[in-house]
Amino acid sequence: MRLKTTLSTIGLCAALIGCNSESTEEGLENGASNTINFDYQVSSLFQQTVSDSSESTLNYFKVGDTSSIVSRAFTSDQIMVGELQVTPTSGGVAQVFTWSIYLDEDTWEAESNLSIDLDPGAYDFELLLSKDDFQYVASTTYVVVDGTNDVPMTISPVIGDLVVNVSAVEELEDFKFQYSATELNGLTDPQIGVSVDGAAEQIFSINPTTGLSDTYLNLDDGAHHLDLRLYDANIQVGKSIDAQENVTIVTGQNINMDLVPLHAETQLILTEAGGDANVTVNLPQLVVDEVGGINNLQAIFAVVGAKNPLQETVLTFNPASGGYEANFILTDLQYDDLTVDITFNEVDSGENIGRCINTWTLSALSQTLNCEIQLRRRAVIGGSLLAVLGINVFNQGSEPVAGAVIKDQNDNILGITGSGTWGTKGYLKTYLKAGDYTITAEDQTNNLMGSEAKTLTPLDIENVLIVLNSPIQRIGTTCATIKADNPSSTGGIYTIDPDGDSYGVEPFDAYCDMTTQGGGWTLFAYHKDGHNQQEVDVVDKNTLGVYGDDRWVAIRDSITTGMMFIDENSLISLISKEKIDQANCTQINSIDTLLSSGFIMLDENSGCSVMGSDYTFISIRYRTVSGASIYQYSSLKFDVWPYLDNSSDSEQDELYYYIK
């Protein structure tokens, strides 16, 4: 929307005589002869203010075609008045002009009712305009040359405290909304409401070609609460996210706030055999605010399906976190494809103000769904830029799983199921931008995962059910590198590739201890006294066995730190790689198999006969007493030794063998 004006010298002189401004007269004494034309761009126009009592005063400011207003008589309702301050950028006395702009009511063009002449040079132009309780500002720096000059300026609304004088324009913070015209093109009459620190909401018409551009905040630095609502004509469909509404104003720093659609979450808690169902409906505060209080709201919940006849219930809401909550029971409800319909009526007027309709397949024990509210705001209409995605995670037994980590296809963590203040334990609600997603759920405790693809559009509300049906695929060179790359990694089965991708054995699964002694330890054997070594595909904490030769050699050659041993009593022993390499009889790098080995390491003060009491070893033998044991009788000692004497076999029968 272009606001264009042509200013004449004659018009300026007449205006100056009327306003008797000393600073303006000083600017004319220089005999300047350069006509200044301002090319206005309106980024957003105030349309109305919504007070706390929900009463609205409409003030439409539209801008007209300059060709149709030359001979037109203006009224006070059609003029925006204020001051223009012009300051040489090189320094000097600022000139302040009383200023006004005519606003046509049929088009989005404007022209000034005054004109000025200036000496050639660079100037800072700062414009402050007022209309009723609203203020707009514009500022630019421009080099004026001999002749006519078109000076572009963008007029933007001021939100917050009134600007006391025109010089304060330089101190305004630059507040930017991140909503493009492309994202808003689904709205026929986009508008946005802004409430600062609980004050009355101010409604803006949004430029349909540029979106809402820069809007100025005349606020002190520090903490503020900004509440945004998005409208389309007289329907609200969007709002700001609660977690983003408390902002800190810092000079020169932009503030980013997302908008999401209005939505109600519904929880159905069913018995295994069907029958009665406990239902919870969570209602956002905005619906209650629209009717002036919960006592003026009537909500009717209806459900019907092929196996379920129509049931209707008038809801009774009680205060809850973020809004209100209703709890009730539906009787004789069977698993089925259901249609859920919630209507909201204003009691005193009898008007329908909103409706929520959704379908849901009842096939698991407990479920949560999102239901979009088409809320009719009698003042305005809203929309959203983000989509709402409700995620339910179940195991293969159809039980909801709490604590599942939810990620997108770029491995960004979206949240954890059951971590919210509302919903079933396998539920998570998240806000996402429009696009194609692969949503993955990981139950790290049980090493299970599942994923589902979903396409989201702006203002979309979707639900997805993810079943944990496959092992988690986590890959790294070793457990140590995985821990280094992701210090928050927890213990469990990971896929490792110790000898790299280009050669050697294929990647394989291994148990990683990510907490003991700094974490990053790879379990390569679980052995006990009197047990023959046997090869297993995955060595874990529940299965006796060792890795086959190829995998063992790949793990052995990756050692950088040392070895750790944990017995059935949770006693921990450690020996460094440096000491292992000092063993004079058997060193780890000479052991190519665990299936027939007696010792992984052997050091002896005299000879290598394992006679007497002068040896240190790591045993993985078939022996009734010392098959899974460690000794330290030679001069080569363990770094951590928890046992009462120099042999472990009298205090333990089993060992977990780790390497790092």
Side-chain angles (χ1 to χ4, degrees):
M1 57 191 92
R2 308 300 297 173
L3 307 176
K4 194 168 184 69
T5 177
T6 302
L7 313 177
S8 67
T9 306
I10 296 175
L12 170 66
C13 296
L16 293 180
I17 293 172
C19 69
N20 192 28
S21 170
E22 295 181 0
S23 60
T24 304
E25 292 172 348
E26 292 175 0
L28 294 176
E29 291 175 356
N30 296 323
S33 59
N34 304 294
T35 302
I36 313 301
N37 299 329
F38 290 87
D39 190 4
Y40 295 110
Q41 171 88 14
V42 173
S43 66
S44 178
L45 295 179
F46 281 107
Q47 189 181 61
Q48 72 183 99
T49 296
V50 180
S51 67
D52 293 336
S53 61
S54 299
E55 296 178 353
S56 302
T57 301
L58 294 179
N59 297 287
Y60 288 93
F61 300 149
K62 299 183 180 178
V63 182
D65 186 327
T66 57
S67 63
S68 64
I69 62 177
V70 175
S71 60
R72 183 169 180 173
F74 305 149
T75 66
S76 60
D77 290 337
Q78 298 168 327
I79 296 176
M80 184 180 293
V81 297
E83 293 179 325
L84 174 69
Q85 177 174 290
V86 182
T87 307
T89 58
S90 60
V93 179
Q95 302 180 68
V96 179
F97 305 95
T98 299
W99 206 258
S100 69
I101 288 180
Y102 170 69
L103 299 172
D104 188 90
E105 301 203 10
D106 298 321
T107 70
W108 282 46
E109 291 188 6
E111 73 171 14
S112 293
N113 297 323
L114 300 169
S115 56
I116 60 174
D117 285 347
L118 297 171
D119 289 332
Y123 294 86
D124 292 326
F125 296 87
E126 296 166 345
L127 178 63
L128 173 64
L129 300 166
S130 298
K131 180 69 173 181
D132 295 330
D133 294 330
F134 304 126
Q135 291 188 322
Y136 293 81
V137 292
S139 61
T140 190
T141 299
Y142 193 83
V143 177
V144 176
V145 298
D146 185 51
T148 60
N149 294 264
D150 291 321
V151 180
M153 298 185 76
T154 298
I155 303 174
S156 300
V158 175
I159 304 172
D161 301 335
L162 291 178
V163 177
V164 177
N165 56 68
V166 72
S167 62
V169 172
E170 298 175 342
E171 302 170 2
L172 294 178
E173 309 296 348
D174 189 7
F175 183 94
K176 299 191 178 200
F177 295 98
Q178 291 187 316
Y179 319 126
S180 69
T182 301
E183 292 176 312
L184 294 168
N185 62 13
L187 306 181
T188 58
D189 184 14
Q191 302 168 40
I192 196 162
V194 182
S195 174
V196 179
D197 294 331
E201 182 185 30
Q202 295 178 317
I203 309 298
F204 302 91
S205 292
I206 301 176
N207 185 321
T209 58
T210 64
L212 183 61
S213 184
D214 295 351
T215 301
Y216 292 92
L217 286 172
N218 185 21
L219 298 172
D220 295 332
D221 286 357
H224 293 278
H225 184 86
L226 302 182
D227 185 5
L228 306 184
R229 297 179 182 180
L230 188 62
Y231 305 97
D232 189 3
N234 68 340
I235 302 295
Q236 178 184 355
V237 294
K239 64 175 184 175
S240 50
I241 299 173
D242 293 345
Q244 296 181 343
E245 291 177 348
N246 293 315
V247 301
T248 300
I249 304 297
V250 178
T251 301
Q253 178 175 308
N254 294 335
I255 302 171
N256 298 326
M257 296 181 68
D258 296 318
L259 300 178
V260 298
L262 299 182
H263 57 283
E265 297 170 277
T266 303
Q267 181 177 198
L268 305 180
I269 303 176
L270 308 179
T271 62
E272 287 191 25
D276 295 348
N278 298 313
V279 181
T280 301
V281 176
N282 185 277
L283 185 69
Q285 182 71 40
L286 287 174
V287 179
V288 177
D289 291 344
E290 177 59 24
V291 298
I294 192 64
N295 293 329
N296 198 35
L297 176 69
Q298 180 194 57
I300 301 174
F301 182 100
V303 62
V304 68
K307 300 178 183 178
N308 295 275
L310 175 65
Q311 295 191 49
E312 289 187 334
T313 302
V314 177
L315 303 183
T316 300
F317 286 99
N318 295 302
S321 177
Y324 289 81
E325 182 178 276
N327 297 280
F328 58 99
I329 298 176
L330 294 175
T331 60
D332 299 324
L333 190 63
Q334 301 296 322
Y335 294 127
D336 189 9
D337 290 336
L338 298 178
T339 297
V340 176
D341 186 348
I342 311 175
T343 57
F344 303 96
N345 301 315
E346 187 176 47
V347 175
D348 56 11
S349 69
E351 292 185 3
N352 177 267
I353 62 152
R355 192 174 187 182
C356 165
I357 301 176
N358 205 345
T359 58
W360 196 256
T361 300
L362 301 182
S363 59
L365 299 181
S366 300
Q367 302 180 54
T368 302
L369 63 91
N370 284 312
C371 193
E372 182 176 9
I373 298 173
Q374 295 293 338
L375 178 62
R376 176 172 168 256
R377 298 298 300 274
R378 270 67 61 89
V380 284
I381 293 181
S384 70
L385 301 177
L386 298 183
V388 174
L389 182 63
I391 302 168
N392 286 274
V393 177
F394 295 88
N395 61 23
Q396 290 178 290
S398 297
E399 297 175 313
V401 177
V405 178
I406 307 300
K407 301 179 181 180
D408 64 13
Q409 66 272 24
N410 297 317
D411 213 32
N412 296 312
I413 296 178
L414 305 179
I416 299 174
T417 57
S419 61
T421 58
W422 189 88
T424 53
K425 67 178 184 178
Y427 173 71
L428 173 71
K429 180 181 72 176
T430 186
Y431 304 128
L432 296 172
K433 293 183 178 180
D436 296 325
Y437 289 87
T438 298
I439 306 298
T440 300
E442 294 185 354
D443 179 6
Q444 297 180 351
T445 301
N446 297 300
N447 192 43
L448 290 173
M449 63 176 292
S451 63
E452 291 289 338
K454 202 71 178 176
T455 297
L456 302 175
T457 59
L459 308 180
D460 207 1
I461 295 180
E462 294 285 349
N463 298 279
V464 63
L465 189 150
I466 299 176
V467 178
L468 303 173
N469 54 14
S470 61
I472 296 175
Q473 298 297 317
R474 298 177 286 188
I475 190 166
T477 303
T478 64
C479 296
T481 60
I482 294 173
K483 179 67 174 179
D485 292 339
N486 185 9
S488 62
S489 298
T490 57
I493 301 297
Y494 290 78
T495 301
I496 63 173
D497 189 11
D499 56 5
D501 295 330
S502 58
Y503 62 93
V505 298
E506 294 294 322
F508 57 92
D509 290 343
Y511 179 83
C512 296
D513 184 322
M514 294 301 194
T515 56
T516 308
Q517 293 292 321
W521 297 92
T522 302
L523 180 65
F524 66 86
Y526 172 26
H527 191 53
K528 67 184 298 183
D529 293 347
H531 185 77
N532 282 319
Q533 303 98 318
Q534 61 183 25
E535 181 179 347
V536 295
D537 185 58
V538 180
V539 177
D540 60 37
K541 298 181 71 174
N542 300 312
T543 306
L544 290 165
V546 300
Y547 278 113
D549 296 348
D550 290 344
R551 293 181 177 181
W552 156 245
V553 170
I555 293 173
R556 179 201 68 187
D557 291 346
S558 69
I559 185 172
T560 58
T561 302
M563 298 181 70
M564 176 176 72
F565 309 91
I566 303 178
D567 65 21
E568 69 270 30
N569 303 310
S570 300
L571 296 179
I572 300 169
S573 309
L574 288 175
I575 186 169
S576 67
K577 177 182 182 299
E578 180 182 6
K579 289 185 177 180
I580 293 172
D581 292 341
Q582 293 174 7
N584 58 9
C585 295
T586 302
Q587 294 182 339
I588 188 174
N589 57 15
S590 66
I591 305 300
D592 295 330
T593 182
L594 297 175
L595 293 172
S596 59
S597 297
F599 301 108
I600 296 175
M601 183 208 77
L602 173 63
D603 181 81
E604 196 164 347
N605 290 343
S606 59
C608 296
S609 62
V610 197
M611 300 294 291
S613 299
D614 64 345
Y615 43 79
T616 294
F617 64 63
I618 301 169
S619 172
I620 191 168
R621 300 174 291 171
Y622 173 73
R623 289 286 296 273
T624 302
V625 177
S626 59
S629 62
I630 49 179
Y631 281 46
Q632 62 160 16
Y633 286 104
S634 78
S635 58
L636 187 64
K637 304 294 185 183
F638 279 70
D639 298 287
V640 175
W641 186 260
Y643 301 107
L644 297 177
D645 57 31
N646 288 325
S647 61
S648 68
D649 53 14
S650 63
E651 298 181 50
Q652 52 78 220
D653 299 314
E654 301 178 11
L655 278 181
Y656 294 102
Y657 298 71
Y658 292 90
I659 201 168
K660 180 178 179 182

